[in-house]
Amino acid sequence: MTTLAVLPVKAFAGAKSRLSERLQPPERRALAEAMFSDVLTALRRTTTLDGVIVVTGDFTAQRIAGSHGVDVVEDRQEQGQSPAAAVGLSRAHKRGAERVLLVPGDCPALDHAELEALLARELPARGAIIVADRHGTGTNGLLIQPPDALPPAFGEGSFGRHKQLAAEADLPLENVVAPSLALDVDSPADLDALREHLAAQRGGAAHTRGLLLRFDRSAPTRSAPTPA
């Protein structure tokens, strides 16, 4: 069964604005790029995927994706994750995909072994698998069979929205837990959760690990208190 992954990517320059209290704009851009690189690496290591489609209007993201030898679709409109995902689904359908895995570009801890297990699960001829974010409200993974069985509806509250759309379409939808895929980064608390996860793991997320280490090393050192 032909399975393609679709990875919509927002322009790095405007990414992760909710991290502004922690990171400056160049740092947020670098973080978005590092996380995308790690997600793309995990997808490329997943042997049960037959290919990856990256949808983005960002030149750097296009260059990185091209260096990995994946299919790049230019997102000229940049209207958000759902429209970009729909563009990717259309490309996947044209390439003859029988099912498509939608993933975000900000889950750098993504474990390719977890993806292998996810893709090994049995689906009916028409069905879907959903993976929630760590809060249980967003959608961080969506495996759709066939690719047009469920329209992408990302954004705040997307987990419930996808469940509702599946119910309305009488589409079997299985909720699967995938810890590494649940760790997307939007808020400072998400970044802390990612740091904690990476500290407890060996290997993986090489680009993001290295970048966070550089952030730590370049952070201003607090002055020691002056003795009374």
Side-chain angles (χ1 to χ4, degrees), residues 63-113:
R63 177 180 55 79
I64 294 171
S67 71
H68 281 263
V70 306
D71 190 2
V72 180
V73 181
E74 184 176 5
D75 183 9
R76 298 183 179 180
Q77 302 299 321
E78 293 192 348
Q79 295 179 338
Q81 186 177 0
S82 294
V87 169
L89 287 171
S90 177
R91 173 63 67 92
H93 177 72
K94 291 178 181 177
R95 288 184 54 181
E98 295 168 275
R99 59 179 184 170
V100 172
L101 174 68
L102 292 169
V103 293
D106 60 352
C107 293
L110 183 58
D111 181 357
H112 70 94

Side-chain angles (χ1 to χ4, degrees), residues 8 13 19 46 72 81 85 121 123 125 135 143 152 171-172 185 195 203:
L19 296 176
T46 304
V72 180
Q81 186 177 0
R121 300 182 75 91
L123 273 177
H135 308 287
L143 180 63
L171 181 75
V185 178
R195 283 180 177 272

Side-chain angles (χ1 to χ4, degrees), residues 202-213:
R202 295 187 63 183
H207 296 87
T208 305
R209 281 180 186 272
L211 183 66
L212 293 177
L213 182 59

Side-chain angles (χ1 to χ4, degrees), residues 18 80-83 133 137-140 152-162 184 186:
R18 291 171 59 189
Q81 186 177 0
S82 294
D133 63 11
T137 57
T139 304
N140 280 2
F154 293 99
E156 186 175 354
S158 64
F159 184 77
R161 192 158 51 250
H162 282 127
D184 62 327
D186 288 316

Side-chain angles (χ1 to χ4, degrees), residues 1-181:
M1 177 170 290
T2 303
T3 306
L4 298 178
V6 170
L7 179 55
V9 181
K10 180 180 179 180
F12 294 148
K16 305 306 165 191
S17 59
R18 291 171 59 189
L19 296 176
S20 58
E21 66 182 66
R22 294 275 189 92
L23 303 174
Q24 297 300 312
E27 294 172 323
R28 298 199 299 271
R29 179 188 179 106
L31 178 62
E33 180 179 331
M35 292 193 295
F36 165 65
S37 296
D38 285 329
V39 172
L40 191 53
T41 297
L43 292 175
R44 293 285 291 148
R45 292 182 65 190
T46 304
T47 59
T48 45
L49 281 174
D50 297 294
V52 179
I53 299 170
V54 171
V55 183
T56 184
D58 187 277
F59 175 77
T60 301
Q62 293 173 3
R63 177 180 55 79
I64 294 171
S67 71
H68 281 263
V70 306
D71 190 2
V72 180
V73 181
E74 184 176 5
D75 183 9
R76 298 183 179 180
Q77 302 299 321
E78 293 192 348
Q79 295 179 338
Q81 186 177 0
S82 294
V87 169
L89 287 171
S90 177
R91 173 63 67 92
H93 177 72
K94 291 178 181 177
R95 288 184 54 181
E98 295 168 275
R99 59 179 184 170
V100 172
L101 174 68
L102 292 169
V103 293
D106 60 352
C107 293
L110 183 58
D111 181 357
H112 70 94
E114 279 189 4
L115 281 186
E116 299 279 7
L118 177 67
L119 294 171
R121 300 182 75 91
E122 292 290 336
L123 273 177
R126 186 172 174 274
I129 291 175
I130 190 169
V131 179
D133 63 11
R134 71 187 187 93
H135 308 287
T137 57
T139 304
N140 280 2
L142 200 58
L143 180 63
I144 309 170
Q145 180 177 307
D148 61 354
L150 185 68
F154 293 99
E156 186 175 354
S158 64
F159 184 77
R161 192 158 51 250
H162 282 127
K163 289 179 66 176
Q164 180 178 351
L165 288 170
E168 292 172 353
D170 196 24
L171 181 75
L173 180 67
E174 181 183 3
N175 179 17
V176 172
V177 176
S180 70
L181 188 53

